[in-house]
Amino acid sequence: MIRLLVQSEDRSLQSLLALTLGEDYEVRVESNPARVRTVLAEEAAEVLILDVESGARPEFERTLAYIAEIRGYRVPIVAMTADDRPSTAMALVQSGVYDYFRKPPHLLELKLVVRRAHEHAQLRNKLDAAAAQLRDLTSCDQLIGSSGRMRVVYDLIRRVANLNAFVLLQGESGTGKELVAAAIHNLSDRKKGPFVAVSCGAIPETLIEAELFGHEKGAYTGAAGAREGYLEKAAGGTLFLDEIAELSLATQVKLLRLLQQREFCRLGSNTPISLEARVVFATHRNLERMVEEGTFRQDLYFRINVLKIEAPPLRERPEDIPELARHFVRQHTPPGKPEPQILNSAMEMLLAYHWPGNVRELENVMQRAAILNEGYSISPADLPEPLRAAAAELEETELAAFPAEGLSFEEQLREYKLRLISKALSACNGNKTLAAQRLSITRAYLHRLLRAQSGDTSAAETAPLERTG
C-alpha cells in the first residue's frame, strides 16, 4: 500500500482526503513543516500532497523555496491550490512538483495521479540505481557519461593504467583530455605519486627546456639557484604534457632523446637523472598531418604513439549531455541557493546545439545559468543567444518539412496539432493542464488529440478547435 503524506492546515481538507484516500492508501496528515521534514527524512512517505495556500507574493515565494527544499528528499509532490492564475500554475510546475490541482480536487483523478507519481518515483529510483551501477562499472575518476563512445574510453583507460608505455591522447579542445590523463594516473599503481600537468603551449620557447629538465645555478642568465624541472617533480607519478604539438623541432629532438634513453640532465649539468615519471601526451592537432608537413618529427610521433586514446567531441555523444548538464548545475549552484531544475524545453536546446567548445563550453553555459537564474528552474531564457538561435533554426527546418508528401490536408493538420501539443507538454514538463492553458484549449480537447496520436484519429479529425476563455 502506498504511504501517502498530506500537508495542510485546512482541517476540512485533511478530513476529506484522509477519509477518501484512506480506502486505497496509507494516509498520514501533518500541518507542521518540521514534522513533514522528519517524516520525509525517515522515508516514511512515498508521495506528498501539499496544500498551497493562496496569499501575497512573498508568502508564495516562501512556499516555492520550501518546495525546492523538500524536493531534496526525492519524494514526488502533488500540489493543490485555490489560486487559478496561470503564473501560479507555471511557478508550481517549474518548482518541480509532479502535478498540481485546483481545489477542491476531483478525487478519482487525484487517486490516479497519486498512483502515477508513485510509479514514476519507483521507476526513477530504479534508473538511478542502474545508472549508479553503470558508473561503477564504466566511469573513471571525474569523467562523466555512459554513452558507447565513453565506455570505449573507460575500457582503454583501464587497459593502459598499469602499463609503463607512453600514452597519446587526441581530441578537440574542451573534450577533457586532462581528465582522461588524471583517470589513467588514479587507476594506476602510481596513484600515490604526484600528477603534474604541463601545457607546452603556455611556456615560452626560451624557457621550455629549463621548465621540463630543470637547471643548475648559473646555467643561464637569471638562474640564481638550482631548480627541479617537471620531470623530476613527477617522479613516481605521472607527467601530463598537454599540447605536445606546440613544441619546436629543436625541443622535440631533446624530448625524443629523453624518451629513448629514459634519462636526462638538468641544464648546466652532466649528471644523468633517470626518468621515474610515467609520461602521458595530449594534443588537439592532427599529428599525422603535421608529420607530413614536416612540423612534427616522425620518429617522435612513433615513439609517443604507442597507446592512443581518442577523446570524443560532445556532438558525437549527445546522450551524455543531460547527465553532464545536471552535474554542472549541481556543481555550480551557489551555496544556500536551491539547485534549479533544467526544464525540458531548455534541455531540448542543449541537445540541439553543436557544442564547438565541447564539455568545457557546456560547463560554462550551465555555470552561468545556475548562478544567474532567479527562479527554481533553468528555462530557455537562461541560456545564451547562440543556443536559442540554434534551436530556432532547427524549428524553422522542422516547419519547412511541412506539408509532408502523400498526406491529405486533414492528416497534415492533425500532425501539426500533435506537434504543437508535444512542444507545449515539453515546455510544461508534461503537465497536461498547464499545456492546455498554454495553447488556450480545453484539457478535454487536448486528451482527445493525444488519443488520436495513439490510434483513435476520429475525434481529432472531426472535432473543431476548442478554446478556453
Side-chain angles (χ1 to χ4, degrees):
M1 183 175 289
I2 299 175
R3 291 168 294 167
L4 180 62
L5 175 62
V6 176
Q7 180 181 350
S8 176
E9 296 181 1
D10 186 338
R11 294 297 179 87
S12 60
L13 182 63
Q14 289 180 4
S15 300
L16 173 65
L17 295 180
L19 179 64
T20 56
L21 298 179
E23 300 172 357
D24 302 300
Y25 310 118
E26 181 183 322
V27 180
R28 178 169 180 170
V29 177
E30 295 287 351
S31 59
N32 188 327
R35 288 291 307 149
V36 170
R37 293 187 185 95
T38 300
V39 173
L40 296 177
E42 294 174 350
E43 300 182 356
E46 296 170 296
V47 178
L48 170 64
I49 294 180
L50 178 63
D51 182 13
V52 178
E53 295 291 338
S54 302
R57 194 66 190 175
E59 182 180 346
F60 184 63
E61 289 292 337
R62 285 193 293 272
T63 299
L64 294 178
Y66 173 68
I67 292 173
E69 175 195 345
I70 61 177
R71 283 190 66 244
Y73 295 106
R74 299 181 62 79
V75 172
I77 302 170
V78 177
M80 291 190 298
T81 179
D83 191 337
D84 60 356
R85 289 175 296 181
S87 60
T88 298
M90 178 66 78
L92 285 173
V93 171
Q94 291 184 349
S95 71
V97 300
Y98 176 79
D99 207 339
Y100 88 99
F101 286 87
R102 289 278 312 282
K103 291 195 299 185
H106 188 284
L107 295 178
L108 290 178
E109 190 172 359
L110 179 59
K111 288 182 179 181
L112 177 62
V113 168
V114 167
R115 187 167 66 252
R116 286 179 176 172
H118 179 254
E119 292 172 352
H120 173 78
Q122 286 187 315
L123 178 59
R124 181 195 61 202
N125 293 338
K126 290 179 180 178
L127 290 174
D128 288 348
Q133 184 179 20
L134 183 60
R135 283 194 297 272
D136 291 340
L137 293 173
T138 61
S139 64
C140 295
D141 202 43
Q142 300 180 52
L143 294 170
I144 293 174
S146 54
S147 63
R149 293 294 303 273
M150 288 306 295
R151 287 199 293 272
V152 170
V153 172
Y154 299 148
D155 180 61
L156 288 173
I157 289 173
R158 286 191 171 84
R159 288 170 179 263
V160 307
N162 283 316
L163 301 178
N164 201 32
F166 303 121
V167 177
L168 175 62
L169 308 179
Q170 285 196 288
E172 298 175 8
S173 295
T175 51
K177 295 186 291 296
E178 184 171 342
L179 290 179
V180 174
I184 292 173
H185 171 77
N186 291 332
L187 289 175
S188 73
D189 52 13
R190 295 174 173 266
K191 62 183 177 182
K192 293 183 180 180
F195 176 78
V196 179
V198 180
S199 176
C200 297
I203 303 175
E205 177 61 27
T206 54
L207 297 177
I208 187 68
E209 288 184 47
E211 292 295 314
L212 288 177
F213 301 110
H215 60 78
E216 297 292 344
K217 181 179 180 180
Y220 56 89
T221 303
R227 181 186 175 190
E228 287 185 345
Y230 290 122
L231 289 164
E232 287 184 77
K233 291 179 180 179
T238 301
L239 176 63
F240 173 56
L241 293 181
D242 196 8
E243 300 305 338
I244 190 69
E246 305 307 316
L247 295 177
S248 68
L249 288 172
T251 304
Q252 290 177 33
V253 172
K254 295 177 180 178
L255 180 60
L256 175 63
R257 182 178 181 277
L258 160 73
L259 301 181
Q260 288 174 334
Q261 299 183 0
R262 302 193 78 88
E263 64 178 22
F264 61 95
C265 297
R266 290 182 182 180
L267 296 186
S269 171
N270 293 321
T271 304
I273 301 173
S274 296
L275 176 62
E276 301 293 341
R278 197 265 184 83
V279 187
V280 177
F281 306 91
T283 181
H284 72 282
R285 300 178 65 179
N286 188 323
L287 292 183
E288 293 89 342
R289 185 177 303 158
M290 292 183 66
V291 168
E292 293 175 359
E293 295 170 351
T295 55
F296 197 85
R297 292 184 62 93
Q298 185 181 57
D299 46 7
L300 177 60
Y301 172 67
F302 289 140
R303 177 66 62 175
I304 67 176
N305 189 25
V306 178
L307 301 167
K308 182 162 69 174
I309 298 178
E310 294 279 350
L314 189 56
R315 63 181 174 275
E316 294 182 6
R317 54 181 186 113
E319 58 267 47
D320 291 332
I321 290 176
E323 185 180 1
L324 285 163
R326 295 185 184 103
H327 167 77
F328 292 136
V329 169
R330 186 162 51 250
Q331 185 180 56
H332 294 296
T333 297
K337 181 179 179 181
E339 179 187 329
Q341 304 301 304
I342 305 174
L343 295 183
N344 290 342
S345 50
M347 188 63 77
E348 286 182 357
M349 285 190 173
L350 298 179
L351 292 168
Y353 190 56
H354 60 288
W355 298 109
N358 293 296
V359 179
R360 184 183 296 129
E361 182 182 8
L362 175 61
E363 179 176 10
N364 291 341
V365 167
M366 302 321 297
Q367 180 178 10
R368 174 183 180 274
I371 293 174
L372 298 182
N373 88 91
E374 298 179 351
Y376 301 93
S377 59
I378 293 175
S379 69
D382 297 311
L383 301 179
E385 176 58 31
L387 274 75
R388 298 199 296 272
E393 182 179 349
L394 179 63
E395 186 171 356
E396 289 178 5
T397 303
E398 291 177 346
L399 290 175
F402 272 29
E405 295 183 5
L407 295 180
S408 67
F409 175 78
E410 290 78 8
E411 289 170 331
Q412 292 179 43
L413 181 60
R414 184 177 70 252
E415 291 292 327
Y416 186 68
K417 289 178 183 178
L418 292 175
R419 180 169 298 196
L420 290 176
I421 286 179
S422 176
K423 288 185 176 295
L425 287 171
S426 176
C428 299
N429 272 5
N431 186 285
K432 296 182 179 64
T433 301
L434 197 57
Q437 291 179 356
R438 187 185 184 96
L439 294 170
S440 298
I441 61 176
T442 65
R443 179 169 172 143
Y445 182 62
L446 183 143
H447 276 289
R448 287 208 297 276
L449 288 171
L450 291 176
R451 286 199 301 272
Q453 188 177 27
S454 64
D456 180 10
T457 61
S458 58
E461 290 176 350
T462 59
L465 184 64
E466 299 179 15
R467 295 187 176 273
T468 57

